[in-house]
């Protein structure tokens, strides 16, 4: 009996120990799972970027538990570690994936499978865990397409046609209010039409209303008529007819005043913004209209003067606009500095520009060409514009008889009326394309861009005929499908780039894991140490080469800027006199009040004294600057090309045949690629900052003069303003232009230091990560997964 009790006691102790061990293992697995995935449903949505509109993920088969019988060594590599039975062994026979989304989902499934199995095989370094988690949180800035064009040129109807939704946007919402920035993008979260309206604060509007009333109370003969017109438009749009003749106290008694105050009251959840969301497109268009339209026929209750910007989000257009935003560029006719700064910042972000003009005025109308000329610095050397689409609208609107007479065509050439009109439309379209291209090629505008032959494309569209088949134009003849293809191609290229970046980084992370699991003895650790020393040596050599390159461009810019300073000092006083002498008092006062730049409502005549003063500095560096910071074509001396050439992996590496070096090399290469992508985006931002620093530096030197001149009132004030401006420029010219020069060179030097610092610190960190300590713990073999990712990369390059 005593032996029985002893036997039972031993069994219970063993079971107790087993239970405790089992509980510890389960607890460990749970903690590791919690690190990688918050909850299965929610985190899978995060990993795959799913939304309600996206298809569900393919089922990821669960992995079988690993037993000692499953362990085997790789046939070609010693000490490969744990070999797992895979449900995907027959994946070689699977058909190739056809879309970038499928490839992205497949890559994420592979990473999900790996992270699931890591829990059972190895306690990973926290930096590796961090890298895997960060792969799913990358935010990419969308491509911005800026749209220029006056109200009535068909911009709203054009966009409705491109998105295939008739009457999607209220007619005139693009350009009806020159002050409001309106942008359109895809709604990727639900199936509603939404508008996010950013409003001025209550305090901001109170200040602007007082300024508008001061403008209206000005009774001088030489008062600024542009400002008067803007003030009248805003006040009557909000408060109704004759409101522009009322005082502030009288306006406060109007019921609309309280309504506006309530609208502008800050909401804790939404801040100074209002959101409209509708499932019905007609209801949406009706609700959003009062925030972006103006009506002279029915004044009062139009809120556009209170609006900074409107973001309209459209459902079911992922294929066209998932990564694209269309922005109406309103111009600088508004006297509000907040709006002025906002549209300029948007302008510099445009990667492409659409110029929309009625086909009858495409060549002769000065407005679109004038806007483009005014914005050239913010699009070209000071921006990131890579292409221009000139869109001639309303091509269906024509009289065939008038056209045939003007073109001297025989009127009896085609007897059938519809076919005759179709023929005339086609001929006028081709004529318009030829003449627009010729005008661009012969203009000074082209010279300010580093361009190729495809920089300008001309489209001749009919949005009306796209929806109305009775107008006898085939869909393709309206050229709306061509614009859709243009958007689709851009969207797809961004998608492809994002997918390639993800798959490439996934391959790098798995290569790092594979190199860790190969690290099983002292000899391997020594090999990794020697590899590290060789990579560090290569890094120092590559950084030295980068140093030489930046020293060369620094010297080139320094020489050109010095010549620009010399010429600026000699000519600036005469240039200032020639600029300000023809300007009337109110216009000059407005220019000084706005920091040296004023744009009348006639937007092709922008007055900018700062630009005049910066002219020679810009002219002397423009050619070199466009080559150094080229956005598209290879120039042989661009920063982007130098970044592309940079690598610490050499083809004659001493250990290039080593298996462990193969995986470390894969990891380092992917880290290099990721760094280069990040640096290229930084370089584009710095390009804008460097180029605009000349004008900013001049403004900083002139700002006190502008403020003093704007304050002059009474008899003789115009003469005093002119004298002050001329004398100030003469007094500070040497110091002002030298400061502008040094600011450019300082920023170029900072760019070099930042690039070198990022490359050195991040690549050394990658080397540290790849040089793990010898581990007795067998980790999982991910060579099969690496092969799968390499296959996906091949598909992406096809």
């Amino acid at each position: 009996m005593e032996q029985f009790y002893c036997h039972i006691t031993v069994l219970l102790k063993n079971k107790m120990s087993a239970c405790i061990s089992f509980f510890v293992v389960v607890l460990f697995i749970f903690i590791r799972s919690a690190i990688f995935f918050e909850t299965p449903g929610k985190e899978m949505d995060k990993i795959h970027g799913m939304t309600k509109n996206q298809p569900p993920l393919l089922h990821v088969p669960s992995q079988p538990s690993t037993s000692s019988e499953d362990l085997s060594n790789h046939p070609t590599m010693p000490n490969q570690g744990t070999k797992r039975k895979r449900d995907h062994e027959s994946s070689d026979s699977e058909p190739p994936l056809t879309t970038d989304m499928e490839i992205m989902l497949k890559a994420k499934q592979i990473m999900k499978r790996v992270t699931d199995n890591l829990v059972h095989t190895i306690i990973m370094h926290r930096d590796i865990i961090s890298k895997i988690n960060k792969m799913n949180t990358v935010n990419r800035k969308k491509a911005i397409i800026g749209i220029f064009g006056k109200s009535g040129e068909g911009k709203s109807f054009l966009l409705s046609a491109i998105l295939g939704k008739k009457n999607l946007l209220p007619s005139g919402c693009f350009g009806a209010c020159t002050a409001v920035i309106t942008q359109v993008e895809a709604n990727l979260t639900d199936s509603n039409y939404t508008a996010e309206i950013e409003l001025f604060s209550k305090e901001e509007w109170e200040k602007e209303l007082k300024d508008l009333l001061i403008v209206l109370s000005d009774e001088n003969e030489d008062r600024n008529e542009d400002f008067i017109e803007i003030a009248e438009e805003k006040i009557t749009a909000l408060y109704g007819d004759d409101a522009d003749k009322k005082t502030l106290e009288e306006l406060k008694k109007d019921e609309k005043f309280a309504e506006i105050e309530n609208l502008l009251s800050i909401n804790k959840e939404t801040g100074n913004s209002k959101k409209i969301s509708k499932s019905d497109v007609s209801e949406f268009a009706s609700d959003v209209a009062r925030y972006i339209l103006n009506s002279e026929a029915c004044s009062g209750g139009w809120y556009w003067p209170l609006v900074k910007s409107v973001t309209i989000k459209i459902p079911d257009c992922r294929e066209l606009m998932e990564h694209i935003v269309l922005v109406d560029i309103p111009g600088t006719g508004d006297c509000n500095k907040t709006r002025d700064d906002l549209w300029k910042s948007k302008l510099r972000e445009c990667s492409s520009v659409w110029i929309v003009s009625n086909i009858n005025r495409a060549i002769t109308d000065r407005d679109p060409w004038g806007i483009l000329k005014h914005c050239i610095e913010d699009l070209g050397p000071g921006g990131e514009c890579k292409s221009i689409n000139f869109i001639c609208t309303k091509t269906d609107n024509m009289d065939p008889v008038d056209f045939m007479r003007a073109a001297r065509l025989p009127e009896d050439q085609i007897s059938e009326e519809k076919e005759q009109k179709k023929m005339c439309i086609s001929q006028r379209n081709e004529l318009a394309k030829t003449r627009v291209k010729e005008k661009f090629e012969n203009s000074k505008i082209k010279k300010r861009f580093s361009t190729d032959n495809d920089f300008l494309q001309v489209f001749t569209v009919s949005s009306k005929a796209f929806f109305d088949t009775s107008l006898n134009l085939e869909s393709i003849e309206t050229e709306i499908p061509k614009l859709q293809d243009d958007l689709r191609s851009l969207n797809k290229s961004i998608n492809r780039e994002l997918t390639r970046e993800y798959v490439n980084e996934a391959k790098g992370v798995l290569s790092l894991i594979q190199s860790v699991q190969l690290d099983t003895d002292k000899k391997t650790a020594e090999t990794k140490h020697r590899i590290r020393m060789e990579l560090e040596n290569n890094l120092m050599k590559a950084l030295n080469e980068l140093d030489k390159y930046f020293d060369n461009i620094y010297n080139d810019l320094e020489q050109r800027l010095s010549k620009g300073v010399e010429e600026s000092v000699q000519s600036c006083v005469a240039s200032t006199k020639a600029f300000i002498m023809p300007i009337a008092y109110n216009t000059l006062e407005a220019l000084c009040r706005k920091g040296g730049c004023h744009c009348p409502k006639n937007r092709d005549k922008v007055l900018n004294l700062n630009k005049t003063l910066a002219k020679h500095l810009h002219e002397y560096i423009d050619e070199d600057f466009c080559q150094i910071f080229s956005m598209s074509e290879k120039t042989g001396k661009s920063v982007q090309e130098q970044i592309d050439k940079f690598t610490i992996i050499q083809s004659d590496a001493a250990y290039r045949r080593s298996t462990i070096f193969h995986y470390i090399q894969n990891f380092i290469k992917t880290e290099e690629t990721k760094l280069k992508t990040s640096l290229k985006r930084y370089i584009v931002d710095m390009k804008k900052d460097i180029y605009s620093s000349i004008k900013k530096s001049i403004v900083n030197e002139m700002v006190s003069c502008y403020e003093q001149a704007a304050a002059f009132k009474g008899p003789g004030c115009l003469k005093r303003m002119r004298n002050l401006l001329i004398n100030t420029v003469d007094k500070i010219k040497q110091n002002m232009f030298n400061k502008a020069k040094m600011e450019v060179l300082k920023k170029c030097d900072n760019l070099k230091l930042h690039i070198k610092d990022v490359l050195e610190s991040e690549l050394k960190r990658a080397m540290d990560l790849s040089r793990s300590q010898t581990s007795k713990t067998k980790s999982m073999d991910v060579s099969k997964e690496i092969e799968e990712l390499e296959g996906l990369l091949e598909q992406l390059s096809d």
Side-chain angles (χ1 to χ4, degrees):
M1 180 65 70
E2 286 179 4
Q3 289 179 344
F4 173 76
Y5 282 121
C6 287
H7 184 65
I8 292 297
T9 302
V10 170
L11 281 173
L12 286 171
K13 285 181 179 179
N14 289 340
K15 287 187 176 181
M16 180 77 71
S17 176
C19 287
I20 292 170
S21 299
F22 176 75
F23 175 75
V24 170
V25 170
V26 169
L27 182 60
F28 171 73
I29 292 172
F30 174 77
I31 292 170
R32 299 301 298 158
S33 299
I35 291 173
F36 282 98
F37 307 106
E38 295 169 4
T39 62
K42 289 181 181 178
E43 193 57 28
M44 279 299 288
D45 283 358
K46 279 186 187 178
I47 289 177
H48 297 282
M50 285 179 63
T51 65
K52 293 178 183 179
N53 294 332
Q54 288 180 289
L57 290 173
L58 301 173
H59 174 65
V60 180
S62 59
Q63 301 297 319
S65 59
T66 307
S67 65
S68 58
E69 286 124 0
D70 295 329
L71 303 178
S72 62
N73 288 330
H74 194 281
T76 59
M77 299 181 186
N79 302 320
Q80 280 289 311
T82 306
K83 190 79 173 178
R84 297 166 290 116
K85 285 184 180 179
R86 296 182 174 89
D87 290 344
H88 60 281
E89 290 288 352
S90 61
S91 63
D92 290 344
S93 61
E94 292 178 1
L97 303 174
T98 57
T99 67
D100 294 337
M101 180 179 284
E102 288 176 345
I103 291 174
M104 178 73 92
L105 292 179
K106 179 67 176 177
K108 290 186 175 182
Q109 287 176 353
I110 291 170
M111 294 306 290
K112 169 71 167 59
R113 195 165 65 219
V114 169
T115 51
D116 282 349
N117 281 280
L118 283 175
V119 175
H120 303 287
T121 55
I122 187 172
I123 300 177
M124 293 299 298
H125 193 289
R126 64 183 180 182
D127 284 344
I128 298 179
I129 295 169
S130 175
K131 289 186 76 64
I132 294 173
N133 290 339
K134 284 180 181 178
M135 285 173 63
N136 300 299
T137 58
V138 176
N139 289 320
R140 173 70 177 271
K141 189 174 75 172
K142 294 187 176 185
I144 295 178
I145 297 177
I147 303 177
F148 293 103
K150 294 189 297 186
S151 179
E153 301 293 81
K155 288 186 288 183
S156 301
F157 207 10
L158 171 68
L159 194 60
S160 296
I162 289 170
L163 297 176
K165 301 174 188 291
K166 192 174 183 180
N167 300 323
L168 168 65
L169 297 171
S171 179
C173 83
F174 264 23
C177 312
T178 56
V180 179
I181 291 177
T182 308
Q183 61 185 49
V184 178
E185 58 187 80
N187 183 355
L188 303 175
T189 56
D190 58 41
S191 58
N192 281 355
Y193 299 87
T194 67
E196 296 169 4
I197 303 164
E198 184 185 3
L199 300 164
F200 285 105
S201 68
K202 183 180 174 182
E203 293 73 23
E204 286 173 324
W205 172 244
E206 284 177 356
K207 181 181 181 304
E208 180 163 356
L209 180 58
K210 287 177 182 177
D211 290 342
L212 294 173
L213 292 171
I214 290 171
V215 169
L216 290 174
S217 65
D218 186 356
E219 296 180 355
N220 291 327
E221 291 182 4
D222 55 350
R223 64 182 188 169
N224 193 308
E225 293 301 327
D226 285 340
F227 283 2
I228 294 287
E229 189 177 342
I230 290 169
E232 288 173 347
E233 281 180 358
K234 290 183 177 182
I235 291 176
T236 55
L238 284 166
Y239 303 105
D241 292 334
D242 298 326
D244 55 315
K245 297 178 177 61
K246 296 180 180 178
T247 64
L248 179 59
E249 289 69 29
E250 288 172 328
L251 287 175
K252 285 182 178 180
K253 296 176 184 177
D254 194 309
E255 61 180 18
K256 292 188 180 71
F257 194 91
E259 184 183 322
I260 290 168
E261 279 200 327
N262 183 54
L263 178 66
L264 298 181
S265 297
I266 295 176
N267 185 305
K268 290 182 180 180
E269 293 182 3
T270 61
N272 283 100
S273 63
K274 180 178 178 62
K275 184 172 181 178
I276 296 171
S277 183
K278 298 286 182 180
S279 58
D280 181 75
V281 66
S282 297
E283 288 182 25
F284 171 75
S286 178
D287 284 1
V288 81
R290 66 190 310 192
Y291 293 93
I292 55 180
L293 292 186
N294 189 29
S295 173
E296 294 180 2
C298 181
S299 60
W302 300 101
Y303 292 143
W304 65 265
L306 311 174
V307 178
K308 290 182 183 178
S309 65
V310 178
T311 299
I312 294 172
K313 296 186 178 182
I314 310 299
D316 307 322
C317 59
R318 179 184 292 272
E319 184 189 14
L320 288 180
M321 294 182 60
E322 180 181 3
H323 304 292
I324 297 171
V325 180
L326 298 175
V327 181
D328 182 34
I329 304 296
T332 59
D334 193 79
C335 54
N336 184 282
K337 191 176 184 301
T338 304
R339 288 196 184 104
D340 218 34
D341 292 341
L342 191 59
W343 84 262
K344 284 180 181 176
S345 68
K346 285 290 182 185
L347 194 64
R348 296 185 190 109
E349 294 175 8
C350 292
S351 58
S352 182
V353 165
W354 289 4
I355 301 172
V356 181
S357 181
N358 187 314
I359 193 168
N360 290 321
R361 299 190 297 270
I363 307 299
T364 57
D365 192 356
R366 296 173 61 189
D367 198 59
W369 297 96
I371 298 170
L372 188 58
K373 183 180 178 182
H374 166 55
C375 301
I376 195 68
E377 288 181 1
D378 292 315
L379 291 172
E384 55 182 288
C385 182
K386 299 175 186 175
S387 65
I388 294 176
N389 286 347
F390 199 107
I391 303 172
C392 305
T393 57
K394 304 186 180 182
T395 60
D396 60 278
N397 185 14
M398 75 155 353
D399 186 323
V401 175
D402 287 346
F403 175 79
M404 293 177 78
R405 285 174 183 166
R408 296 180 179 177
L409 297 173
E411 294 184 23
D412 58 349
Q413 187 174 345
I414 300 176
S415 57
E416 212 281 315
E417 186 178 339
K418 285 187 177 181
E419 287 302 312
Q420 187 183 67
K421 183 174 182 178
K422 192 172 182 178
M423 182 269 291
C424 290
I425 289 172
S426 176
Q427 289 203 15
R428 185 177 63 173
N429 288 352
E430 291 304 313
L431 181 63
K433 288 180 179 181
T434 301
R435 292 184 65 187
V436 168
K437 286 182 178 179
E438 285 175 351
K439 184 165 184 174
F440 178 76
E441 290 294 324
N442 296 326
S443 70
K444 293 180 180 179
I445 296 172
K446 185 185 178 184
K447 296 175 183 177
R448 302 300 296 275
F449 291 97
S450 178
T451 68
D452 52 34
N453 292 330
D454 295 327
F455 182 76
L456 176 75
Q457 293 189 77
V458 184
F459 296 82
T460 48
V461 306
S462 171
S463 306
K464 187 177 180 181
F466 180 74
F467 289 115
D468 188 354
T469 56
S470 68
L471 294 176
N472 202 36
L473 285 178
E474 299 293 330
S475 177
I476 192 68
E477 291 172 323
T478 69
E479 297 203 1
I480 294 295
K482 285 186 180 180
L483 274 172
Q484 290 173 334
D485 287 343
D486 198 58
L487 282 177
R488 191 178 290 109
S489 177
L490 174 60
N491 196 54
K492 187 176 181 180
S493 68
I494 297 171
N495 223 1
R496 174 64 53 94
E497 191 177 337
L498 291 171
T499 304
R500 186 182 289 111
E501 286 173 9
Y502 181 89
V503 177
N504 197 52
E505 188 173 359
K507 177 190 168 185
V509 171
L510 296 196
S511 295
L512 176 62
I513 294 170
Q514 190 71 1
S515 72
V516 170
Q517 75 92 26
L518 286 172
D519 189 5
T520 55
D521 55 36
K522 188 176 180 181
K523 184 178 178 182
T524 307
E526 290 174 356
T527 301
K528 292 182 84 171
H529 176 70
R530 288 195 292 271
I531 291 170
R532 164 66 185 259
M533 297 303 292
E534 184 176 330
L535 291 174
E536 278 193 349
N537 185 46
N538 293 343
L539 176 59
M540 291 303 106
K541 288 180 181 178
L543 289 173
N544 286 337
E545 288 299 312
L546 207 55
D547 234 346
K548 292 177 185 176
Y549 162 77
F550 273 105
D551 286 346
N552 286 334
I553 66 169
Y554 183 97
N555 291 333
D556 288 346
L557 285 173
E558 198 276 335
Q559 290 176 20
R560 291 188 170 275
L561 284 166
S562 294
K563 291 179 180 177
V565 168
E566 186 179 340
E567 187 159 343
S568 296
V569 169
Q570 291 175 356
S571 63
C572 63
V573 174
S575 297
T576 303
K577 285 181 180 178
F579 180 89
I580 66 175
M581 293 309 286
I583 300 176
Y585 165 72
N586 271 310
T587 303
L588 189 58
E589 185 272 337
L591 179 138
C592 291
R593 183 153 46 85
K594 296 176 73 175
C597 179
H598 172 55
C599 181
K601 292 205 80 176
N602 185 0
R603 292 180 291 172
D604 64 336
K605 293 181 180 178
V606 179
L607 302 173
N608 193 332
L609 180 55
N610 305 312
K611 185 175 179 179
T612 299
L613 293 171
K615 177 183 175 182
H616 295 301
L617 283 170
H618 278 148
E619 282 180 349
Y620 270 94
I621 68 165
D622 272 356
E623 186 177 345
D624 266 21
F625 197 87
C626 286
Q627 290 184 342
I628 293 167
F629 294 102
S630 173
M631 289 301 303
S632 53
E633 62 183 20
K634 292 184 178 180
T635 65
K637 62 183 295 185
S638 75
V639 182
Q640 303 276 24
E641 288 174 81
Q642 289 300 314
I643 298 299
D644 286 335
K645 288 193 293 187
F646 186 95
T647 182
I648 63 172
I649 303 296
Q650 303 298 325
S651 58
D652 59 347
Y655 302 97
R656 65 182 181 276
R657 294 186 179 180
S658 161
T659 302
I660 198 165
F661 179 70
H662 169 73
Y663 289 113
I664 291 175
Q665 176 181 260
N666 275 350
F667 171 63
I668 296 295
K669 275 186 175 179
T670 56
E671 289 299 291
E672 282 185 347
T673 301
K674 189 171 71 169
L675 283 173
K676 288 175 182 181
T677 301
S678 172
L679 283 173
K680 283 180 180 179
R681 291 168 190 158
Y682 176 78
I683 289 165
V684 170
D685 290 336
M686 282 305 297
K687 170 202 176 190
K688 304 172 194 175
D689 189 39
I690 292 169
Y691 195 82
S692 64
S693 67
I694 293 177
K695 209 179 330 182
K696 286 179 182 177
S697 180
I698 289 171
V699 171
N700 289 338
E701 296 302 306
M702 291 289 295
V703 66
S704 60
C705 172
Y706 289 139
E707 290 172 355
Q708 189 179 346
F712 286 150
K713 304 292 179 186
C717 59
L718 177 58
K719 184 178 180 181
R720 283 186 288 152
M721 288 173 72
R722 289 171 175 169
N723 288 339
L724 178 64
L725 290 168
I726 293 167
N727 292 337
T728 301
V729 169
D730 191 30
K731 181 180 178 181
I732 68 173
K733 58 187 178 183
Q734 189 73 54
N735 185 53
M736 176 170 66
F737 294 123
N738 272 324
K739 277 189 176 181
K741 165 192 164 181
M742 296 311 299
E743 190 66 20
V744 171
L745 295 175
K746 175 186 170 184
K747 287 181 180 292
C748 285
D749 201 44
N750 289 342
L751 174 63
K752 177 189 78 171
L753 294 174
H754 177 82
I755 290 173
K756 287 183 63 182
D757 180 62
V758 168
L759 288 170
E760 183 174 5
S761 60
E762 291 301 315
L763 288 176
K764 281 185 176 179
R765 184 170 173 272
M767 292 179 212
D768 290 338
L769 206 53
S770 65
R771 189 181 64 177
S772 65
Q773 298 298 315
T774 301
S775 173
K776 295 180 180 179
T777 306
K778 300 277 187 180
S779 68
M780 65 185 290
D781 171 22
V782 291
S783 58
K784 183 70 177 179
E785 282 78 6
I786 292 172
E787 288 177 16
E788 287 186 78
L789 291 171
E790 286 174 341
L792 296 180
L793 285 171
E794 284 181 16
Q795 290 185 49
L796 285 169
S797 63
D798 287 344

